[in-house]
Amino acid sequence: TGTGFAVAASRREGSGDTDGLVLFLDAGGALAGSAVAGGIGDDFLRAITALDDGRVVAGGVWGAGGTDSDAWLFAATPGGDIEWEVSLGGTANEDLRGLVTLPGGGVLAAANTASKGAGLSDGWVLSVGSDGELLGEQVLGGAGHDVMHRVVRGEDGSSVLVGYSGSGISVAFNEWYLRVPLTACPED
């Protein structure tokens, strides 16, 4: 974020629920600002990425511990303003594990879903615009447990999704790597 950096964390105040916390730090590591987001229930941040305009997008799980958690993300400014916030999911548990910035200010998210797809859990790739609008999504997986853990930017500008698949022909889980163009979700 300009000359500093941002950290995603979670906080609990008193006996209340857990909320997402973004700390903005200057180049020397001193606190320059913070933003808090969350709702009823426990909400945890697991990923953060900086946008070119100084904002950050942070994401994780909204409503953790229940039977209907959602993948969750929001944009925050160094001044502590939450510009947009969105939770995405169905009737079962979803969570967001990784984020990378897309050209134009949006993000590509590595997430997981138990509401969509063919299996017990499936990888879920989300493309979200700089305004929080869902631009595209793709569910990836088979009949078993298939999980995305993170997304990183490849040297060639693509996104590399990292996770594991339990839908293969072996009895063990297999590492899973998927390279997609940085500009969008993978195609069917």
Side-chain angles (χ1 to χ4, degrees):
T1 64
T3 60
F5 53 98
V7 177
S10 299
R11 74 168 193 181
R12 179 183 303 259
E13 289 198 20
S15 62
D17 297 326
T18 302
D19 290 321
L21 170 66
V22 174
L23 300 173
F24 293 91
L25 306 171
D26 65 20
L31 183 63
S34 65
V36 177
I40 297 172
D42 290 325
D43 311 310
F44 297 98
L45 292 180
R46 293 187 171 147
I48 192 166
T49 190
L51 303 179
D52 292 338
D53 61 7
R55 295 179 299 157
V56 298
V57 174
V61 61
W62 175 277
T67 58
D68 183 17
S69 62
D70 287 335
W72 169 53
L73 60 165
F74 63 88
T77 68
D81 295 322
I82 305 299
E83 292 197 343
W84 55 260
E85 183 174 16
V86 62
S87 64
L88 302 165
T91 59
N93 290 319
E94 281 74 37
D95 68 348
L96 185 145
R97 298 288 183 98
L99 293 166
V100 294
T101 305
L102 292 172
V107 295
L108 188 73
N112 299 297
T113 179
S115 299
K116 304 177 180 206
L120 300 170
S121 64
D122 291 294
W124 190 24
V125 184
L126 305 167
S127 177
V128 178
S130 61
D131 59 356
E133 178 184 356
L134 180 64
L135 302 176
E137 63 182 302
Q138 180 68 44
V139 177
L140 304 165
H145 286 285
D146 304 300
V147 176
M148 295 285 176
H149 281 294
R150 64 185 302 193
V151 58
V152 295
R153 183 160 309 154
E155 291 180 11
D156 63 355
S158 65
S159 295
V160 179
L161 298 154
V162 180
Y164 66 82
S165 175
S167 295
I169 58 172
S170 69
V171 294
F173 288 100
N174 298 305
E175 292 181 16
W176 195 18
Y177 302 93
L178 177 64
R179 184 178 298 271
V180 297
L182 185 59
T183 57
C185 288
E187 298 296 321
D188 286 324

